[in-house]
Amino acid sequence: MSAKKILAVDDSVSIRKSISFILGQEGYEVVEAIDGNDALAKARAAKFDLVITDINMPGMDGIELIKNLRQEAGYKFTPLIALTTENQMSKMEEGKAAGATGWIVKPFVAEKLLAVVKKVTG
């Protein structure tokens, strides 16, 4: 079976690198995107099994990205995980309404990230 492809979207280089490192060690293929616009272009160019996106980013934020991805035929049922420092219920509700599958609050621990990824990618 080929490795699951994951799109990691965050305007923070260190967050993207840590997601790539953690998931890469577990055999996942990780592609990084610097913001929502970059992510949308990459998601349209290749199919990903999971998208992990930051919420607060310049340009297109994570909520807009999730809304846009849900309108793409190939991403109607793809797990979309919001990764953010936001833990207010209103932002979580907004993310859920946009189509987010789940939520990971930063700073995250590797075990938590891996558990969520394994759960949603089967």
Side-chain angles (χ1 to χ4, degrees), residues 4-117:
K4 298 276 188 187
K5 281 181 71 169
I6 298 172
L7 182 59
V9 190
D10 203 302
D11 55 325
S12 161
V13 174
S14 59
I15 297 286
R16 286 196 314 269
K17 294 296 171 211
S18 72
I19 292 171
S20 289
F21 179 75
I22 293 164
L23 298 179
Q25 284 199 308
E26 292 294 315
Y28 293 99
E29 183 187 333
V30 183
V31 174
E32 298 178 18
I34 58 169
D35 61 24
N37 292 312
D38 185 31
L40 195 56
K42 287 176 175 164
R44 286 175 172 158
K47 179 71 177 105
F48 293 92
D49 299 296
L50 167 65
V51 178
I52 300 172
T53 182
D54 185 22
I55 293 299
N56 298 316
M57 297 181 289
M60 184 191 300
D61 71 5
I63 302 278
E64 279 304 305
L65 173 61
I66 291 167
K67 284 180 185 167
N68 278 295
L69 285 173
R70 284 295 181 225
Q71 290 170 357
E72 299 282 323
Y75 289 93
K76 285 210 186 319
F77 304 106
T78 302
L80 305 178
I81 302 293
L83 179 69
T84 184
T85 52
E86 300 282 347
N87 59 5
Q88 304 116 320
M89 284 310 290
S90 63
K91 269 290 182 200
M92 289 185 190
E93 291 301 323
E94 199 180 337
K96 231 179 171 46
T101 310
W103 204 266
I104 299 174
V105 177
K106 289 191 252 182
F108 59 89
V109 290
E111 293 75 26
K112 168 95 171 141
L113 177 66
L114 282 169
V116 169
V117 168

